[in-house]
Amino acid sequence: MHDDRHIVEQRLDRVLAERLRPAQHRDATPCDIAVWHVPGEPVDVTEALRADYTPTSTGQPWGPAWGTSWFRITATVPEHWDGRTAEVLIDLGFDDDRPGFQCEGLAHTPDGTPIKGLHPRNTHLPLGRNSAGKTRTFYVEAAANPIILGPHGFQPTDLGERPTEPGPPLYVLRRADLALLDEEVHELVHDTDVLNQLMRELPTDSPRRHQILRALERMLDRLDLHHISATAPAARAELADVLATPAHPSAHTLSAVGHAHIDSAWLWPLRETVRKVARTVANVTTLMATHPDFHFAMSQAQQLAWLKQHHPQLYDRVRTFVHTGQFVPVGGMWVESDTNMPGGEALARQLIHGKRFYLDEFGIDTQEVWLPDSFGYSAALPQLIAASGSRWFLTQKISWNQTNRFPHHTFWWEGIDGTRIFTHFPPADTYNAEITGAELAHAQRNFAEHGHATRSLLPFGHGDGGGGPTRDMLARAARTANLEGSPRVSLDTPAEFFTAAEADHTGPAVWSGELYLEFHRGTYTSQAKTKQGNRRSEHLLREAELWCATATIATGRDYPHDDLDRLWKQVLLHQFHDILPGSSIAWVHREAQQTYQRVAAELDTITTQAQQALAGPPAHPITFNAAPHTRHGVPALGAATGEHTTPPTPTRHPDGTTTLDNGLLRVTIDQHGLLTSVYDHAAEREALAAPGNLLQLHPDHPNAWDAWDLDNFYRHQVHDLTDVEEITTDEHTVHIRRSFGDSTLTQHISLPAHTRRVDITTDIDWHETEKILKAAFPLDIHADRSAAETQFGHVMRPTHTNTSWDAAKFEICAHRYLHVGEPGYGHALLNDSTYGHDVTRDTRPDGTTTTVRLSLLRAPRFPDPHTDHGHHRLRYALLAGADISDAVREGYQLNLPERTTLGSRTVAPLITVDNDAVIVEAVKLADDRSGDLVVRLYESRGGRAHTRLTISFPATAVTRTDLLERPLAEPEAPTDALDIRLRPFEIRTLRFTRTT
């Protein structure tokens, strides 16, 4: 036979696009339209219903950037439409693509009840079959969200700033019509669409492909393009046999889970996400009413809390469908947080607050952690997942790797302590699937475990900007449930998938350590003020809980449960994976800075009041030490009269150098302001292999994703900042002033007494664009790996580039310290708010140089063209002659400065441990307000630890619990000293029942 395949396919494409799809609706007539333009920020529906509306029509512009307009749309359904499906079709001015990234709408009834959302792929409002002769009115809240990431890519735009006054309209109302849905044509479109997509994924020599092709050709021949409605049934009949042919027994099974990944902030502000959640939930609950087999998984407890607060009617609908099993809360976290940068306790609280919300609101103990889009996953996470009472983990983002293809889709993920979590990574390589033939075929071809397992998960629904599944997606799911040539599609819940996958795959591979994303490495540095606010807030929360718990037990003072709960949730929200990483629009980050300032002020007040209650009447200075180690004579977690220490005074020399010497280190600063020597007296060795604290400026032009990415070629060009304007000294500090480009900075270098720590504070007025600033320390150390602090421990990474996996980790994340060393001797770089680092190793004639660099500031142009411009104060330190224990201790002390208040009494710690390897991470009162004390501690060095834990208050029992403070073992009677043995990096939560 002659090969006319391309001719048939071209014919099909044109008929489908130009004739069939438009024929799904007919007899369209314009609706009556009126509009009210909101003068400012969005308003509640009750206010919108009371507003004065002005008649308008299609073709009229509306919506300055971030503005809101309410459209009142009225339609009268003709009597002769009785028994047929009527719909109102609305086009707010949509771009055909990018649902969730442009204007959107939420339709309400005249009593204010939300109906469903509107976006380019979901433009109808249902009237049903029994609306004939009725007049229906809708109020559509239309959001004029600008397109930030447009068709031309990552172009700088000021549209991401919060507007101070209205700008020009961005959109034109194109359509508001009443129309009939021709259901037979509608079904024919889906029949044709599914078969067409499937056909094009099959090999050209596949018999099945040609069977489908000829069936589609016969369908086209039966279809009269001038009388589509009348001939649609006959055309559908030509496709019935090929649609009814079942899938091969060996076909892959896809558990399709409805989803709408909604970024809690990104190219829109937090307040807009509140509305995105409402639109999405309105959509999916409307679908549930007509599709009882449809399940929708919604993560992020914060978003449901917003819904409860702002849209109680929608929240009631959620409750209804949770009880039917169709609306499935998942994820177990407060938000889909970044997992690289949150501190240990913060990451634990993400799980605690998220899971507790689902338990309190719905009685559901979520079993999966659902993080499809975060930018890499901490190796501490498996233990935290297990400690929260969860079993499973899902991600997708690792498919974005630039260099190495991740080798597994279903596997055991092993954390730094050895805990393993059953993990799945959907092979469709998307968390916004639409159940297309291309997606299904790719998932089946891509699945890494063929021969060992037979199923994977497919999250489907419009996401990022929300929207969720549509009726078209469900139509495709129904047709691909059992279709030859396609994987089987089953509408399941996440729990149904994971339960089946565990039974299906009895010998999964093990991946040990972090799930490092070989992409988006710049997120460890972008938006420094956001990162600084997060780090400071985490430590302020630790202090507030510690001193409030101590004050309650010691003085009977009320514990501020509500305030601390609220403040924790504000901090957790801002750990969302496009806020803390610095990849949101300017509006988000400016707002975050204001939030962090309010959080800090409130926590300072709470802590000060608790300390004053503890210290008693003012008499002499009392020093409070919230760090987990004794310092300056003040016990860990207690307060006393501290020992006075005097740092050394700088000495200026005739050759232009300056030295600082505290008896432990001698530090030399040359005439260029660089550290040329850090000499360890006890070890009799030099720390530096070349001048240290060298500031280096690189051009920073990633191939894409400006705020996100740091591409390796940035290293090809570097400018060392060695020019000095002035070097001065005062009693304890050396001050170095420099200028470069459009920026100026002053560094303050000091050497505290009784420590091998060189402190460096950098005040910088930063006004560079597309640059990255690094601080380099070339260390005279032969280190084959680095130890970077992560949550409740550290992660080891190679300093060499033996493999492509090693080479890809050219930028890494560390918390308070990064340590490199030889057996018996090493150094650490400490910081108070910097996360990005790089470590390289070079050979010189007399040894090996291991260079550690901190990434201080970036200046990407998208999505915030003014990223990080302005003043910053950054603190970091070189800790010489340090082991891991030293790095842990000094890292806490740098981030938890002592507080001094006037008082008359010392404060005994509630908890003491006698092993420095054991870190007390949290001391707080129990969340159930019982008055019990909860203590969380962990082993910090990566070895086994034995400690004796002593309490200073009366208690009747001690119970080992999970993160949610639920018992894991029977209570025990406490003794004077509790004997505790911990595995490497083990986290332990203990609950002490107090004597009342």
Side-chain angles (χ1 to χ4, degrees):
M1 299 291 290
H2 299 297
D3 185 3
D4 63 348
R5 175 168 49 90
H6 295 300
I7 295 173
V8 177
E9 290 172 354
Q10 290 169 2
R11 178 188 177 195
L12 178 64
D13 285 344
R14 184 173 185 186
V15 169
L16 191 57
E18 297 181 11
R19 302 302 182 97
L20 273 180
R21 291 193 194 282
Q24 293 177 93
H25 288 96
R26 57 189 179 88
D27 298 342
T29 56
C31 300
D32 292 329
I33 314 167
V35 66
W36 174 56
H37 302 296
V38 180
E41 282 293 280
V43 300
D44 184 79
V45 63
T46 55
E47 184 175 345
L49 293 175
R50 295 193 303 264
D52 292 328
Y53 285 74
T54 302
T56 189
S57 62
T58 56
Q60 295 301 308
W62 68 277
W66 305 113
T68 300
S69 295
W70 282 80
F71 291 98
R72 187 179 64 210
I73 296 173
T74 304
T76 300
V77 182
E79 292 281 358
H80 65 274
W81 285 13
D82 187 37
R84 290 183 284 180
T85 300
E87 296 183 340
V88 170
L89 306 177
I90 297 176
D91 183 346
L92 296 173
F94 298 131
D95 183 321
D96 288 341
D97 200 2
R98 301 181 190 85
F101 291 82
Q102 54 177 291
C103 60
E104 302 173 67
L106 177 61
H108 302 74
T109 59
D111 66 359
T113 302
I115 306 170
K116 69 184 291 287
L118 298 165
H119 62 68
R121 308 285 183 85
N122 201 351
T123 62
H124 71 281
L125 298 177
L127 299 179
R129 293 175 176 271
N130 301 311
S131 56
K134 297 178 181 177
T135 297
R136 301 286 296 275
T137 297
F138 301 97
Y139 289 80
V140 176
E141 180 193 32
N145 300 334
I147 298 176
I148 303 291
L149 180 56
H152 303 296
F154 308 94
Q155 299 301 309
T157 175
D158 288 325
L159 289 173
E161 295 278 4
R162 183 172 189 163
T164 55
E165 56 185 52
L170 298 182
Y171 297 103
V172 171
L173 181 66
R174 291 204 192 104
R175 185 177 194 184
D177 290 342
L178 173 68
L180 272 176
L181 175 67
D182 192 318
E183 297 189 46
E184 196 69 25
V185 176
H186 184 64
E187 297 299 324
L188 175 59
V189 167
H190 289 304
D191 292 346
T192 304
D193 209 24
V194 165
L195 289 171
N196 182 34
Q197 292 179 21
L198 170 60
M199 175 185 69
R200 292 170 194 256
E201 295 299 322
L202 296 171
T204 56
D205 60 355
S206 162
R208 175 64 167 165
R209 176 167 184 148
H210 291 276
Q211 290 168 0
I212 294 173
L213 178 75
R214 296 308 162 192
L216 288 169
E217 184 179 33
R218 293 192 299 271
M219 179 275 294
L220 292 169
D221 291 342
R222 295 296 298 271
L223 195 64
D224 184 339
L225 297 185
H226 293 284
H227 300 90
I228 289 177
S229 181
T231 56
R236 287 194 72 197
E238 297 292 345
L239 303 178
D241 288 344
V242 287
L243 280 169
T245 308
H248 292 299
S250 61
H252 188 66
T253 298
L254 284 164
S255 289
V257 177
H259 185 50
H261 173 68
I262 305 176
D263 286 311
S264 289
W266 180 27
L267 304 180
W268 45 85
L270 287 167
R271 65 88 155 151
E272 192 56 33
T273 311
V274 175
R275 302 202 292 179
K276 286 177 177 290
V277 170
R279 296 173 198 127
T280 301
V281 170
N283 279 337
V284 299
T285 52
T286 297
L287 279 176
M288 286 171 184
T290 54
H291 296 77
D293 58 343
F294 165 53
H295 304 97
F296 178 77
M298 186 164 180
S299 64
Q300 305 192 76
Q302 169 68 85
Q303 295 186 359
L304 286 167
W306 280 333
L307 195 72
K308 181 180 181 181
Q309 177 185 353
H310 296 282
H311 291 278
Q313 287 179 300
L314 275 178
Y315 195 70
D316 287 342
R317 277 156 64 177
V318 166
R319 286 184 184 279
T320 297
F321 287 111
V322 166
H323 292 314
T324 67
Q326 290 176 264
F327 196 104
V328 185
V330 296
M333 297 180 76
W334 189 248
V335 294
E336 287 186 13
S337 108
D338 178 82
T339 73
N340 289 311
M341 291 175 284
E345 191 59 27
L347 200 53
R349 300 297 175 98
Q350 287 284 356
L351 292 157
I352 291 165
H353 283 285
K355 288 189 60 108
R356 185 168 287 128
F357 180 89
Y358 295 136
L359 280 164
D360 291 346
E361 293 293 318
F362 309 116
I364 292 175
D365 189 0
T366 54
Q367 294 296 292
E368 64 291 298
V369 171
W370 184 280
L371 287 175
D373 189 33
S374 295
F375 308 149
Y377 304 93
S378 163
L381 200 49
Q383 183 179 191
L384 289 169
I385 293 171
S388 74
S390 296
R391 299 168 52 191
W392 305 310
F393 179 69
L394 179 134
T395 179
Q396 184 273 319
K397 196 69 173 188
I398 302 299
S399 68
W400 287 45
N401 274 4
Q402 282 180 313
T403 306
N404 299 285
R405 182 180 185 271
F406 194 77
H408 313 300
H409 287 108
T410 302
F411 57 99
W412 287 108
W413 180 23
E414 182 179 275
I416 55 174
D417 72 311
T419 299
R420 292 180 178 179
I421 290 293
F422 191 75
T423 298
H424 183 67
F425 167 30
D429 290 343
T430 179
Y431 47 80
N432 293 328
E434 299 180 43
I435 317 188
T436 65
E439 291 165 349
L440 302 184
H442 177 73
Q444 182 166 261
R445 285 193 299 263
N446 193 39
F447 187 57
E449 277 73 43
H450 284 311
H452 300 281
T454 63
R455 62 178 61 238
S456 63
L457 188 142
L458 182 74
F460 73 95
H462 295 298
D464 289 326
T470 65
R471 66 183 180 186
D472 293 345
M473 296 177 197
L474 292 177
R476 290 192 283 272
R479 287 162 174 79
T480 53
N482 191 15
L483 181 63
E484 184 188 353
S486 170
R488 292 185 180 87
V489 175
S490 175
L491 295 176
D492 294 327
T493 66
E496 288 170 340
F497 162 75
F498 275 109
T499 301
E502 282 185 312
D504 180 49
H505 196 343
T506 55
V510 177
W511 181 270
S512 182
E514 66 182 328
L515 293 171
Y516 178 92
L517 178 64
E518 296 173 358
F519 209 46
H520 291 1
R521 302 169 184 89
T523 58
Y524 310 147
T525 306
S526 296
Q527 298 287 0
K529 279 185 165 46
T530 300
K531 291 169 171 57
Q532 199 164 47
N534 173 74
R535 178 78 70 86
R536 187 74 186 118
S537 296
E538 290 176 345
H539 289 86
L540 289 170
L541 281 161
R542 170 194 173 93
E543 291 186 87
E545 289 185 336
L546 167 65
W547 301 125
C548 287
T550 307
T552 296
I553 292 175
T555 71
R557 188 173 180 273
D558 286 343
Y559 187 83
H561 282 284
D562 291 336
D563 290 336
L564 291 172
D565 180 79
R566 172 177 49 80
L567 291 165
W568 260 117
K569 286 173 179 174
Q570 288 182 28
V571 174
L572 298 180
L573 166 59
H574 286 82
Q575 291 177 341
F576 177 75
H577 65 253
D578 274 308
I579 302 179
L580 181 53
S583 48
S584 288
I585 57 174
W587 187 339
V588 174
H589 292 289
R590 308 298 180 268
E591 201 168 63
Q593 291 172 31
Q594 296 166 5
T595 298
Y596 286 131
Q597 289 168 1
R598 290 193 299 269
V599 167
E602 191 166 351
L603 287 170
D604 275 331
T605 299
I606 290 171
T607 295
T608 298
Q609 291 173 348
Q611 289 177 338
Q612 289 172 343
L614 287 163
H620 56 268
I622 300 292
T623 299
F624 284 78
N625 176 21
H629 304 90
T630 297
R631 59 177 161 178
H632 303 152
V634 181
L637 317 180
T641 302
E643 300 169 355
H644 179 69
T645 61
T646 302
T649 299
T651 301
R652 300 295 297 268
H653 301 280
D655 63 358
T657 62
T658 306
T659 57
L660 291 159
D661 196 322
N662 66 358
L664 299 174
L665 293 182
R666 183 181 67 245
V667 176
T668 303
I669 301 165
D670 72 3
Q671 62 272 27
H672 299 291
L674 304 178
L675 298 179
T676 54
S677 175
V678 176
Y679 185 77
D680 184 340
H681 290 295
E684 296 182 334
R685 64 182 287 177
E686 173 61 50
L688 299 174
N693 190 36
L694 173 63
L695 296 175
Q696 297 182 300
L697 198 64
H698 296 268
D700 184 9
H701 303 284
N703 289 336
W705 299 103
D706 296 30
W708 295 256
D709 285 356
L710 183 66
D711 287 333
N712 196 23
F713 54 77
Y714 86 90
R715 297 180 177 186
H716 296 176
Q717 296 171 270
V718 61
H719 174 57
D720 293 344
L721 303 182
T722 56
D723 292 341
V724 175
E725 291 189 351
E726 186 180 38
I727 298 178
T728 60
T729 62
D730 59 22
E731 188 177 3
H732 302 301
T733 307
V734 180
H735 308 280
I736 301 147
R737 195 172 73 202
R738 308 181 191 274
S739 295
F740 59 95
D742 295 321
S743 304
T744 59
L745 67 82
T746 301
Q747 291 199 304
H748 316 278
I749 302 177
S750 60
L751 185 61
H754 310 310
T755 180
R756 295 188 299 276
R757 197 178 89 198
V758 185
D759 285 357
I760 302 162
T761 300
T762 302
D763 281 299
I764 180 168
D765 190 20
W766 174 254
H767 293 286
E768 303 308 299
T769 298
E770 297 182 300
K771 300 286 195 299
I772 182 169
L773 181 67
K774 293 261 188 175
F777 290 83
L779 303 172
D780 188 8
I781 284 286
H782 180 84
D784 62 353
R785 58 184 182 171
S786 65
E789 189 186 30
T790 189
Q791 299 89 356
F792 299 105
H794 60 259
V795 61
M796 294 287 193
R797 301 183 181 99
T799 60
H800 56 71
T801 55
N802 282 358
T803 71
S804 59
W805 294 90
D806 302 331
K809 295 180 181 179
F810 59 81
E811 184 81 359
I812 57 176
C813 183
H815 287 200
R816 289 168 290 225
Y817 70 82
L818 189 144
H819 180 272
V820 291
E822 303 164 353
Y825 194 80
H827 307 296
L829 263 293
L830 316 172
N831 71 85
D832 76 345
S833 57
T834 296
Y835 294 91
H837 296 72
D838 69 79
V839 184
T840 53
R841 197 175 69 187
D842 298 287
T843 298
R844 60 181 198 274
D846 61 341
T848 301
T849 301
T850 300
T851 300
V852 180
R853 299 198 303 168
L854 299 93
S855 303
L856 301 181
L857 292 169
R858 295 185 71 215
R861 299 189 306 160
F862 182 88
D864 175 5
H866 308 291
T867 299
D868 279 333
H869 284 221
H871 178 262
H872 301 270
R873 169 166 278 208
L874 306 170
R875 294 184 66 207
Y876 54 90
L878 172 63
L879 183 65
D883 60 17
I884 293 290
S885 227
D886 297 324
V888 172
R889 181 189 65 251
E890 297 290 340
Y892 271 101
Q893 292 186 4
L894 184 69
N895 283 269
L896 285 164
E898 296 159 306
R899 291 175 182 255
T900 299
T901 188
L902 292 176
S904 53
R905 54 179 179 252
T906 61
V907 179
L910 295 177
I911 299 290
T912 57
V913 294
D914 65 0
N915 185 339
D916 281 351
V918 177
I919 302 298
V920 177
E921 179 67 4
V923 177
K924 59 185 286 291
L925 292 194
D927 289 345
D928 64 5
R929 310 192 183 206
S930 62
D932 292 354
L933 184 77
V934 172
V935 176
R936 190 152 23 254
L937 44 81
Y938 72 101
E939 194 288 317
S940 65
R941 296 176 184 169
R944 292 180 182 271
H946 173 211
T947 190
R948 294 177 69 77
L949 183 151
T950 306
I951 61 174
S952 64
F953 57 92
T956 59
V958 58
T959 307
R960 185 174 177 181
T961 73
D962 67 4
L963 291 181
L964 275 72
E965 303 167 9
R966 301 174 295 194
L968 296 174
E970 290 298 318
E972 300 177 14
T975 59
D976 291 340
L978 188 66
D979 192 67
I980 296 177
R981 296 180 185 273
L982 298 175
R983 302 184 313 275
F985 297 132
E986 181 184 355
I987 304 166
R988 184 78 59 89
T989 304
L990 300 173
R991 179 173 181 146
F992 293 87
T993 304
R994 291 168 48 215
T995 302
T996 55

